[in-house]
Amino acid sequence: MEISYPAGRDVIEAVLPHRDPFVWVSRVLECEPGVSVKAELDVSPDLPLFEGHFPDYPVLPGVIIMEALAQAASFSILVAREAEGALGFFAGIDNAKFRNQVRPGDTLTLEATIVKSSRRLCVAEVKASVGDTVCATATQKYVLAPA
């Protein structure tokens, strides 16, 4: 698949198996397949999860930030492998640190560098930021399986 960047939702859904309401990447700004990716998530104030997390002080949950980072990293991995239909599953999240809150209306920048990639296991160093403020970092591990 020939992809030009920035890539929007149609390209993201052509690569990732995720669908609404669980697509956590709004656009891919740049991607070196199998090496690195930079993407964004527009954090809509209308997300239903903000009704409960937390009604008086809405904050994007850390697990959603980790999922968004994994989806961005998976985009790079799946494009490199031309692995249409493959599913990525978390195998681990190491050294996760949550440094700043992500609020409704923010644009979250998602960055991943693939540091290991074998036939089934991939490891990525990931970082989520709003502007110049780092919100979360981790080392994520994924196992790839055919759909």
Side-chain angles (χ1 to χ4, degrees), residues 81-140:
R81 295 178 181 209
E82 297 180 4
E84 188 173 321
L87 298 174
F89 296 96
F90 272 121
I93 301 174
D94 297 332
N95 303 315
K97 297 203 178 2
F98 299 94
R99 304 175 189 284
N100 285 286
Q101 298 166 357
V102 179
R103 303 292 312 273
D106 285 344
T107 296
L108 189 61
T109 300
L110 310 165
E111 296 178 80
T113 301
I114 311 306
V115 295
K116 179 181 179 182
S117 184
S118 65
R119 190 174 66 76
R120 289 204 59 220
L121 180 70
C122 297
V123 179
E125 296 294 333
V126 297
K127 176 175 78 170
S129 307
V130 173
D132 293 331
T133 303
V134 175
C135 299
T137 58
T139 301
Q140 294 184 336

Side-chain angles (χ1 to χ4, degrees), residues 4-17:
S4 60
Y5 299 97
R9 186 67 172 260
D10 56 333
V11 173
I12 293 164
E13 288 190 359
V15 174
L16 295 180

